[in-house]
Amino acid sequence: MSDNFKDSFEKTRIAGKIAAGALDEVSKIIKPGIRTSEIDNICYNYINDHGAYSAPLFYRGFPKSCCTSANHVVCHGIPSDKILQDGDILNVDVTALKDGWHGDTSRTFEVGKVSIKANKLVKTTYEAMMKAIEIVKEDIHLGDIGAIIQNHVEAEGFSVVQDFCGHGIGQQFHKEPNVLHYGKKGTGEKLKAGMIFTIEPMINLGKYEIKTLNDGWTAVTKDKSLSAQFEHTIGVTKDGCEIFTLPKN
């Protein structure tokens, strides 16, 4: 690895490990009966205890340390007194800011026993993210990432949310490039070694259209169908990529 991005990879690696660790802690307590505000506290405390800051807190006015998006909430759900029920699916999205660098990741958790459709949606969303990550290396096109996700998801009968995308990340929380989760192979800019960005497909059981609620944050499916998401922060290398936000197990 060249020295010019060795430092950025190392710093993102540290932040990413903290973010992933927070979700590992969440995975231990996810069950029917807990409140999303408890999840927010766990994320805040874990990140804080590891010498980092929860980047979503007060970002553009966001009031909490993580996003908790249940069932038909696509993203940016605000932790509250909402009690999780058996059969819910819940995406938890965390970003740790450590020494000026960000690590951003999310997972969709199954709460208790979920329906066969919900399980298939969660599984397909995770597979789509990992299939995209597997092809990442220098000189592929951004459109290749979107195409592989869209093809996999639509083959399973689901739809890709088009209003949100992955993003460049580093010392800024969100920056170029925009990483679309749909598209055509061979289109868009070519990846270069040293680039750091997120891949974070949001996949709906029904149609892809969404709307944002009056709180200005919470995005939901227009048809009230379930939505799932997974996210990793990755760094591009000459012949592949490094995932900075892997869980411990």
Side-chain angles (χ1 to χ4, degrees):
M1 188 186 299
S2 68
D3 288 336
N4 62 342
F5 56 84
K6 195 173 179 180
D7 187 52
S8 60
F9 271 39
E10 176 57 25
K11 287 184 169 157
T12 306
R13 194 176 294 131
I14 292 165
K17 191 175 178 183
I18 295 169
L23 291 184
D24 290 342
E25 291 302 304
V26 170
S27 71
K28 296 173 187 175
I29 58 99
I30 283 276
K31 62 181 180 183
I34 73 159
R35 298 176 191 273
T36 54
S37 56
E38 294 174 55
I39 293 169
D40 184 64
N41 287 336
I42 283 167
C43 292
Y44 175 82
N45 289 328
Y46 183 90
I47 291 170
N48 197 51
D49 290 348
H50 287 77
Y53 180 78
S54 293
L57 186 60
F58 308 132
Y59 178 76
R60 296 182 180 168
F62 190 79
K64 297 289 182 177
S65 294
C66 68
C67 300
T68 52
S69 304
N71 299 326
H72 72 293
V73 179
V74 176
C75 62
H76 303 155
I78 301 171
S80 67
D81 287 336
K82 176 183 170 61
I83 296 171
L84 296 179
Q85 309 290 330
D86 187 54
D88 285 347
I89 61 172
L90 179 78
N91 178 268
V92 181
D93 191 339
V94 298
T95 306
L97 173 59
K98 170 78 170 172
D99 296 331
W101 290 78
H102 294 80
D104 189 2
T105 184
S106 85
R107 297 177 209 165
T108 295
F109 298 96
E110 298 181 359
V111 182
K113 185 166 175 54
V114 306
S115 69
I116 291 168
K117 276 185 177 177
N119 174 261
K120 184 184 175 190
L121 175 68
V122 171
K123 183 169 169 282
T124 301
T125 304
Y126 179 77
E127 288 169 351
M129 174 185 69
M130 294 309 296
K131 280 178 178 288
I133 288 171
E134 282 163 16
I135 66 162
V136 169
K137 62 179 180 180
E138 185 165 73
D139 286 336
I140 74 156
H141 293 265
L142 274 174
D144 300 353
I145 293 171
I148 200 165
I149 290 170
Q150 185 174 16
N151 290 341
H152 181 66
V153 165
E154 291 181 354
E156 296 293 341
F158 303 131
S159 64
V160 180
V161 171
Q162 299 187 6
D163 296 64
F164 297 103
C165 60
H167 53 88
I169 191 167
Q171 290 174 292
Q172 286 174 263
F173 194 168
H174 298 91
K175 62 179 190 174
E176 294 295 319
N178 289 332
V179 183
L180 303 183
H181 302 118
Y182 62 95
K184 290 198 172 97
K185 197 173 175 182
T187 63
E189 70 174 281
K190 283 188 175 182
L191 303 188
K192 293 284 171 271
M195 290 173 81
I196 299 172
F197 55 81
T198 69
I199 295 179
E200 48 179 301
M202 298 164 216
I203 307 303
N204 295 347
L205 188 63
K207 295 180 179 173
Y208 68 83
E209 289 90 355
I210 66 156
K211 63 179 181 180
T212 301
L213 301 185
N214 291 337
D215 62 22
W217 284 103
T218 309
V220 300
T221 55
K222 270 194 176 173
D223 60 10
K224 294 193 165 63
S225 64
L226 293 176
S227 187
Q229 182 190 17
F230 284 87
E231 173 183 17
H232 275 315
T233 297
I234 65 169
V236 181
T237 62
K238 288 275 185 197
D239 51 7
C241 70
E242 178 178 346
I243 305 174
F244 298 119
T245 46
L246 285 172
K248 270 189 186 162
N249 321 336

